[in-house]
Amino acid sequence: HGTEKGKIRSSLEWNREGSIKIDGDLQLSGLSAQLNVDVEKIDIMSLQPYFTEKIKIVVTDGFINNRGRLILDLGEKSDPDIKFAGEASVVTFASLDKKKAKDFCKWNSLHLNHVDLSTRPLKLTVGEVALTDFYSRLIISEDGEFNVKKVLNQEGEAKKSGQEPEETGKTWETPKEKPEIRIG
């Protein structure tokens, strides 16, 4: 294999207000990249079709922002090596409980600073978390069940409704060790 290296610089608009900018180095053989990523004001409602089957809430507002360095190694290994260092935020988030059509959870800003994520081994460190103007209808029922559990579709529910989980072409190995998670 040769060392087909190149530079990438890309920019695109997302639903009028949002943008995604990527620039950095790319190697085609073994598919690896070192990229600077700048994601601004990505409308969460536009992503809802990708998670609507998994949760029983409707997102009515919210934007994703993300800035940092992404390192990818998608070579011949069974599981990719992905690393990210930077910051991320979800702003003006609001959601409704699908069943009751009432506010479920909302906030003005959830900001994660000094994020360090690695997939091999699975490790997440967040240096700082800031949450402003938080509201939630988190309820514990008389039988001790937490309502957050009810908004997540369980695999058994998908099977009852006749939906089978999608199979993807590539299977990644399950981590042999528990992930290391640290929040400052």
Side-chain angles (χ1 to χ4, degrees):
H1 295 290
T3 55
E4 301 88 6
K5 291 184 179 182
K7 297 242 182 236
I8 184 171
R9 176 170 278 167
S10 179
S11 164
L12 62 101
E13 285 184 14
W14 189 281
N15 285 353
R16 294 185 192 115
E17 294 183 54
S19 69
I20 300 174
K21 296 174 187 167
I22 298 171
D23 73 85
D25 299 319
L26 179 68
Q27 183 167 335
L28 296 177
S29 62
L31 195 53
S32 64
Q34 295 185 12
L35 306 169
N36 296 311
V37 178
D38 187 1
V39 174
E40 289 187 36
K41 216 167 184 182
I42 300 301
D43 183 3
I44 297 173
M45 291 186 305
S46 67
L47 302 172
Q48 196 154 245
Y50 299 102
F51 60 81
T52 195
E53 298 293 325
K54 303 288 184 206
I55 60 174
K56 297 175 187 172
I57 63 171
V58 176
V59 175
T60 58
D61 197 6
F63 297 95
I64 297 171
N65 300 307
N66 182 295
R67 181 172 286 132
R69 182 92 169 142
L70 180 65
I71 299 172
L72 303 168
D73 182 0
L74 306 176
E76 290 92 35
K77 299 175 184 120
S78 62
D79 54 341
D81 190 10
I82 302 170
K83 294 179 178 144
F84 174 79
E87 61 182 303
S89 62
V90 177
V91 297
T92 64
F93 180 82
S95 63
L96 298 173
D97 182 323
K98 281 183 185 177
K99 194 172 186 177
K100 298 180 180 176
K102 291 184 178 180
D103 283 340
F104 180 74
C105 184
K106 59 184 175 180
W107 61 76
N108 186 41
S109 175
L110 171 61
H111 185 80
L112 307 176
N113 204 6
H114 306 293
V115 175
D116 189 3
L117 173 67
S118 176
T119 60
R120 202 179 320 145
L122 188 54
K123 184 168 122 178
L124 172 65
T125 302
V126 179
E128 182 179 64
V129 178
L131 178 63
T132 60
D133 299 331
F134 177 72
Y135 167 81
S136 176
R137 272 189 61 249
L138 300 178
I139 300 168
I140 299 175
S141 68
E142 288 178 13
D143 61 350
E145 193 168 285
F146 204 37
N147 71 335
V148 172
K149 184 179 177 183
K150 291 181 181 181
V151 301
L152 301 174
N153 278 339
Q154 306 297 316
E155 279 189 41
E157 290 181 42
K159 288 180 182 177
K160 283 182 208 171
S161 67
Q163 299 169 349
E164 290 295 321
E166 284 186 30
E167 294 246 354
T168 58
K170 188 172 185 177
T171 57
W172 296 344
E173 292 179 16
T174 305
K176 291 165 186 51
E177 296 179 19
K178 290 184 177 181
E180 179 183 329
I181 300 173
R182 285 186 279 144
I183 300 175

